[in-house]
Amino acid sequence: MTPRPTIILSSTVLDAPDAAELAGFYRRLLGWEPVQEEPDWVKLAAPGGGAGLSFQTEKAYVPPVWPASPDDQRMMLHLDFEVTDLEAGVAHAVAEGATPAEFQPQHDVRVLLDPAGHPFCLFVRDQVPGRTPAISPEWVAEQARDIRAQDRVTAEDAMAARPQEPVRPVAEPDEAVGGV
């Protein structure tokens, strides 16, 4: 029998319309630093070692729909992040650009969508199943509304702006939380 070669998971790779933009979100979310940066590729490394997260530009990227119906683009994977405080973790993720998912299937987990639409979960280890979480759906909706109400500029607007023209903030419709 041939011995199994050493195989080590180096990174999980997420496709996105802009690798650098999505890597920036996860860098702010996790506090991880880039260890490799190329025009269409960025790899972040965890400070304590282990597998990293990489981001690849895919111009034909289609964000998944979560939860998906039979004809929707489905997610291929999702990331789970353990947090010590669910409410604080959600607030931080939303402040960095995540959107709470409209559908929340568990009491002790929060599903969010990153700026490219990938679902990811925040959870507290050893939380008693079924116990009411410290975070309410109303609080999540309020936080998302506050973030959307702030004047923001898209990357396209910033790049298209000429020095003599002011950059216009993007007005977003006032709609319910979630994009799925």
Side-chain angles (χ1 to χ4, degrees), residues 97-120:
T99 303
E102 187 174 312
F103 177 65
Q104 297 291 330
Q106 296 170 273
H107 294 289
D108 54 349
V109 174
R110 284 293 168 257
V111 180
L112 296 107
L113 306 174
D114 71 21
H118 299 103
F120 67 94

Side-chain angles (χ1 to χ4, degrees), residues 94 100 136-149 177:
V94 169
S136 72
E138 294 79 17
W139 182 87
V140 171
E142 179 183 327
Q143 294 299 308
R145 277 192 301 275
D146 289 349
I147 296 293
R148 281 197 306 267
V177 172

Side-chain angles (χ1 to χ4, degrees), residues 49-126:
L53 270 177
S54 294
F55 308 90
Q56 173 176 281
T57 298
E58 172 55 59
K59 296 300 181 190
Y61 173 75
V62 176
V65 176
W66 190 86
S69 296
D71 294 329
D72 291 334
Q73 172 71 28
R74 296 176 186 265
M75 70 175 167
M76 299 292 288
L77 63 88
H78 72 273
L79 302 172
D80 285 347
F81 297 107
E82 181 180 337
V83 295
T84 55
D85 180 313
L86 192 57
E87 184 174 340
V90 170
H92 173 65
V94 169
E96 296 303 341
T99 303
E102 187 174 312
F103 177 65
Q104 297 291 330
Q106 296 170 273
H107 294 289
D108 54 349
V109 174
R110 284 293 168 257
V111 180
L112 296 107
L113 306 174
D114 71 21
H118 299 103
F120 67 94
C121 297
L122 300 180
F123 71 96
V124 177
R125 180 185 297 237
D126 299 329

